């Protein structure tokens, strides 16, 4: 009887498998039809995940910008950035997990049966997301593949000049802002950030354009002012409700990567860095209690010197609030925009209000984002050392933005390179100068070597100390 049952089961399996042999030709990894919203949501989540991650093989910026200090392995804090895949991960996450998804989504949007005004909004939002990814690629590496980057027929894309890329990105943002129709829908609930709110995306695009304009203000003042004033006129963030934020979820695999690294991994790899702890202490900054935990043996806060290999038990640990799997990921917010407006006004751009007022609004907003009580905020802002100094405005803005970017390492790194504040401490046993760019991934050396070599030579060498075009002034 058992043999008969097995025979019947095998026969049934064979029949079921041969009913539609054509299904064997289906490529499950490349389906014929993909809902555009799925690709858009995936691109959003991958972008925010890369920027939220504290894993040094993905995102090392909290370490090299001296917010966190490594304990178990400290090579990255000593600027040993060549022995692992970190530049390759940053390259991969932006090109293949964000930009390639955007390109695929764009194809399906163009082929979808939706109202033309909806299609136009969707394409505009895709432009903004792609520009964001390219902004971080070119501010990290310099010259990168752009015009030939995502092309299935070309495995050896040429690199484009970083300044030319930047000019084109600003033009694309301008066009995308002009194409957005607030009265029409876009991606609806598939948009994990703004829920399809086109007006919110328009503000985000304008705020990103202002951020990008300020970055090049020292290297191309005319282009920067034109783009910045145009962005302000389009309408930038006016409150924390406008923030470019992704809300992670409580359940894997959609939790915040900081939770994954600090809790799920069970590792004890990070403590406070001395640079940020000393800076917060010098300002009597109430965010100290939000960023770190006290050390029982010293009865207060203690940061480890950059580049060292400290004992995890002897230094302040990252605050428990960062263990929250639902900790939101933020890539652009209202306090940052107020600081950008302060700098724009200081530079003589057409901005309403005073530089000092925008600066103070930015500092206040940054404190409020960490739920600091009003009384403590007022006390903090009343300190003379916190007041805006127009004679040394790069220091005023640079230090406060660096503190505000505590959980946004990539932005903290970029603004430090641009403003040269705060004064970071030399890392102990550093193997190179302070990294002002990433070296290209090993995969580019091996696969796309001719174009890689041309790009490196054009910039002055593929070294971490090679300054990018906007960082030479």
């Amino acid at each position: 009887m058992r043999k008969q049952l097995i025979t019947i089961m095998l026969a049934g399996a064979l029949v079921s498998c041969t009913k539609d042999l054509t299904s064997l030709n289906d490529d499950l990894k490349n389906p014929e039809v993909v809902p555009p919203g799925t690709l858009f949501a995936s691109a959003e989540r991958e972008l925010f995940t890369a920027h939220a991650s504290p894993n040094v093989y993905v995102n090392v910026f909290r370490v090299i910008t001296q917010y966190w200090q490594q304990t178990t392995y400290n090579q990255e804090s000593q600027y040993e950035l060549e022995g692992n895949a970190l530049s390759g991960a940053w390259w991969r996450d932006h090109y293949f997990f964000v930009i390639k998804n955007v390109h695929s989504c764009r194809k399906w949007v163009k082929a979808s049966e939706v109202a033309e005004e909806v299609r136009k909004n969707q394409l505009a939002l895709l432009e903004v997301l792609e520009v964001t990814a390219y902004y971080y690629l070119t501010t990290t590496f310099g010259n990168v593949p752009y015009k030939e980057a995502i092309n299935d027929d070309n495995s050896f894309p040429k690199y484009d000049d970083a300044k030319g890329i930047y000019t084109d990105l600003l033009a694309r943002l301008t066009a995308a802002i002009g194409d957005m129709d607030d009265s029409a829908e876009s991606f609806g609930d598939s948009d994990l950030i703004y829920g399809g709110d086109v007006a919110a995306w328009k503000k985000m695009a304008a705020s990103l354009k202002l951020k990008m304009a300020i970055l090049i203000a020292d290297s191309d003042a005319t282009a920067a002012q034109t783009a910045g004033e145009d962005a302000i006129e389009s309408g930038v963030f006016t409150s924390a409700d406008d923030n470019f934020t992704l809300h992670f979820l409580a359940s894997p695999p959609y939790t915040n990567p900081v939770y994954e690294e600090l809790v799920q991994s069970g590792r004890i790899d990070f403590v406070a860095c001395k640079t940020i702890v000393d800076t917060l202490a010098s300002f009597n900054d109430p965010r100290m209690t939000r960023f770190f935990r006290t050390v029982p043996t010293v009865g207060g806060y203690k940061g480890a010197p950059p580049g060292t290999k400290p004992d995890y038990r002897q230094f302040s640990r990252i605050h428990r609030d960062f263990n929250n799997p639902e900790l939101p990921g933020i890539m652009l917010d209202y306090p940052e925009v107020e600081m950008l407006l302060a700098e724009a006004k200081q530079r003589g751009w057409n901005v309403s209000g005073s530089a000092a007022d925008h600066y103070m609004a930015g500092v206040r907003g940054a404190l409020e984002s960490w739920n600091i009580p009003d009384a403590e905020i007022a006390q903090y802002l009343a300190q003379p050392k916190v007041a805006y100094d127009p004679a040394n405005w790069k220091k005023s803005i640079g230090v406060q933005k660096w503190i505000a970017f505590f959980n946004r390492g990539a932005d903290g790194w970029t603004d430090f390179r641009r403003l040269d504040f705060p004064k970071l401490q030399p890392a102990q046993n550093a193997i190179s100068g302070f990294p002002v760019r990433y070296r290209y991934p090993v995969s580019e050396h091996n696969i796309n070597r001719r174009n890689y070599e041309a790009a490196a030579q054009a910039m002055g060498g593929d070294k971490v100390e090679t300054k990018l075009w906007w960082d030479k002034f």
Side-chain angles (χ1 to χ4, degrees), residues 54 56 63 68-71 261-262 268-272 312 318:
V56 295
V63 171
W68 295 12
Q69 174 55 36
Q70 296 165 287
T71 57
E261 193 71 16
L262 298 185
I268 52 173
D269 286 345
F270 302 104
V271 294
Y312 181 76
I318 311 305

Side-chain angles (χ1 to χ4, degrees), residues 165-227:
I165 294 172
Y166 211 85
T167 300
D168 192 58
L169 293 178
L170 286 170
R172 289 173 64 181
L173 270 184
T174 301
I177 292 168
D179 285 344
M180 292 184 199
D181 181 353
D182 299 359
S183 66
E185 297 180 354
S186 60
F187 286 104
D189 292 340
S190 295
D191 173 11
L192 304 178
I193 301 169
Y194 291 122
D197 186 339
V198 177
W201 272 100
K202 193 170 184 178
K203 277 189 174 183
M204 180 271 165
S207 300
L208 175 62
K209 186 176 176 181
L210 175 60
K211 177 190 182 93
M212 292 178 64
I214 286 291
L215 183 80
I216 62 173
D218 285 335
S219 55
D220 193 341
T222 301
Q225 183 170 354
T226 299

